[in-house]
Amino acid sequence: MSWTPRFSQIHRERLLEGRWFLDSDVEAMAPPVVITEPLWERLGRVPLTQHPTVTLSGPAGGTYQVVGITPRQGFGDEERRVDLPYDAYRARVDALPADAWTQYEIWMGTGQVDQIAPVLAMDLRAGLPEGQTVTVNRSDWAAQPGALDAQATFEMVTGGIAALILALGALSLINIQLVAMRQRPPFPMRAALIGLLASVIVGAVSGFIPALVALRVKVIDAIRF
């Protein structure tokens, strides 16, 4: 499989070791490749600092330098895949296989799809010879039938569950507070007002005194320190 350096950004590819492709890799003497973890294990998990290589056969056969490792996608994943830049692949083959098909991926905003997709398909068809077919479609999750409805339903259900849990928690807290208040003697309103007044005075004094000190400091000294 061959990819461009931007593949990892579009697909948010996570690597187990090493790095993804760079634009400068096109000029490398030994073309770089990114391999899967099962294939890396087949090579003996040689550290990337030792510059391990993999040898391929076939039209694009040759020696490639391993620069990155992709992790297993789940339990039982034993795929031994090799990803390499498209330019490095085309440099070793005279032509693409007869049954090969080319796929281009463009990353754009959801609001641009309806305007760009028809124009892109028309331009691609105009530049190809007779007998070639072009299909332009979306591959993101929002393009799946019913994806937005499923998301809205999920948000509504989870939001309802969260609201119910919060309501039950608040009701329980209110009940506990009411029981506690009924078991205590009445709290005098005068004490509440005195406490509120005292807290206001303490807060005002604690803010007023530092403000007076700050006014005596020169502006240039305050900026410097």
Side-chain angles (χ1 to χ4, degrees), residues 19 22-32 63 65 67 85 88 91-92:
R19 62 172 177 82
L22 303 175
D23 293 328
S24 58
D25 288 335
V26 178
E27 303 175 358
M29 298 298 294
T63 301
Q65 180 178 341
V67 297
R92 299 200 175 196

Side-chain angles (χ1 to χ4, degrees), residues 129-146:
E130 291 270 341
Q132 300 288 336
T133 58
V134 175
T135 303
V136 177
N137 51 47
R138 292 176 59 178
S139 59
D140 60 303
W141 70 271
Q144 305 299 323

